[in-house]
Amino acid sequence: AQSVTQLDSQVPVFEEAPVELRCNYSSSVSVYLFWYVQYPNQGLQLLLKYLSGSTLVESINGFEAEFNKSQTSFHLRKPSVHISDTAEYFCAARRSDTGRRALTFGSGTRLQVQP
Amino acid sequence: KAGVTQTPRYLIKTRGQQVTLSCSPISGHRSVSWYQQTPGQGLQFLFEYFSETQRNKGNFPGRFSGRQFSNSRSEMNVSTLELGDSALYLCASSLSTGGTGELFFGEGSRLTVL
């Protein structure tokens, strides 16, 4: 079984400041890793994913995450946040050795961008 | 292309009742998964269906059940509702069970049990 830990439940940050949302995972098998974002009263949207290959993955809206196998981490970063980035962010893992798509989610980090 | 559609969006039930939630996947998607989201337990996997067959099940009591129809639409049912069943129920669809494809989530059905 795998587990995902998001170390911060809330992260307040000022607009245009950099931010890092931390995620660590634990698994006895190889996993795929994901970051999802959830805006109020909405479902989850995939932000980015690590499947294989380059350990640095980027999204179209300026977020990036780096897979670090030795530290079992997949932290999410953005160099300059906007008010519109205010949302809850979930890190998730899925086994890569089966076709089953069950995701194990972290507890979420609420990003609060202040003007 | 329409996204994942969940109905109803909001509903209120009382303890002991049962509820059925519906999910229409993106056209062409054959795999449907369900998740429960609560403030206390976070996001938890309920079950996954593909081609009308349950492929995977999370750690929930037998009161939680689901099914998938030949058109890939899915329903989940919760019987004998308890207060703790109050949650946002999210449905996600994907093209198939294999590979590394993305899960697309609906906006959820928010269930309140009184």
Side-chain angles (χ1 to χ4, degrees):
Chain A
Q2 59 267 18
S3 66
V4 177
T5 302
Q6 291 183 245
L7 299 166
D8 306 295
S9 59
Q10 294 189 67
V11 173
V13 63
F14 288 106
E15 195 173 17
E16 298 184 5
V19 70
E20 178 180 80
L21 307 183
R22 297 180 292 171
C23 171
N24 286 90
Y25 70 93
S26 172
S27 178
S28 57
V29 298
S30 295
V31 294
Y32 298 136
L33 295 165
F34 306 84
W35 276 100
Y36 283 86
V37 59
Q38 185 176 35
Y39 298 100
N41 298 315
Q42 292 189 24
L44 300 171
Q45 299 173 32
L46 180 65
L47 197 56
L48 42 75
K49 60 185 176 183
Y50 172 76
L51 305 178
S52 64
S54 173
T55 57
L56 184 66
V57 290
E58 299 176 352
S59 71
I60 58 173
N61 56 356
F63 283 95
E64 65 178 30
E66 185 161 18
F67 170 61
N68 188 318
K69 188 173 182 179
S70 62
Q71 297 185 6
T72 60
S73 68
F74 190 55
H75 301 332
L76 181 69
R77 302 185 184 96
K78 189 170 186 180
S80 176
V81 294
H82 302 287
I83 294 287
S84 60
D85 293 324
T86 295
E88 188 145 23
Y89 293 79
F90 293 92
C91 182
R94 174 168 84 78
R95 293 179 60 159
S96 62
D97 60 339
T98 78
R100 295 176 176 178
R101 295 180 180 275
L103 289 168
T104 299
F105 285 92
S107 55
T109 298
R110 188 171 300 277
L111 177 63
Q112 299 165 312
V113 182
Q114 303 164 8
Chain B
K1 195 174 186 180
V4 177
T5 304
Q6 292 188 244
T7 56
R9 288 291 313 279
Y10 302 91
L11 67 167
I12 300 173
K13 294 285 187 179
T14 56
R15 280 181 298 176
Q17 288 186 310
Q18 73 162 9
V19 65
T20 299
L21 309 177
S22 178
C23 172
S24 294
I26 292 171
S27 177
H29 285 194
R30 298 172 62 192
S31 175
V32 173
S33 304
W34 288 89
Y35 290 81
Q36 181 196 62
Q37 185 177 22
T38 61
Q41 300 299 316
L43 281 153
Q44 294 185 286
F45 170 74
L46 279 158
F47 19 66
E48 176 189 3
Y49 288 89
F50 178 77
S51 292
E52 304 177 64
T53 301
Q54 188 178 91
R55 295 302 181 98
N56 199 4
K57 188 177 191 303
N59 188 26
F60 278 83
R63 300 185 297 108
F64 291 80
S65 63
R67 58 178 175 169
Q68 186 181 34
F69 302 96
S70 58
N71 62 358
S72 295
R73 191 177 70 85
S74 177
E75 288 181 348
M76 67 162 284
N77 182 277
V78 187
S79 62
T80 318
L81 284 166
E82 301 176 359
L83 295 178
D85 298 332
S86 294
L88 180 67
Y89 291 89
L90 292 166
C91 169
S93 76
S94 60
L95 276 172
S96 69
T97 58
T100 58
E102 178 180 344
L103 287 179
F104 294 83
F105 283 84
E107 295 189 321
S109 292
R110 185 168 295 281
L111 170 65
T112 301
V113 182
L114 302 176

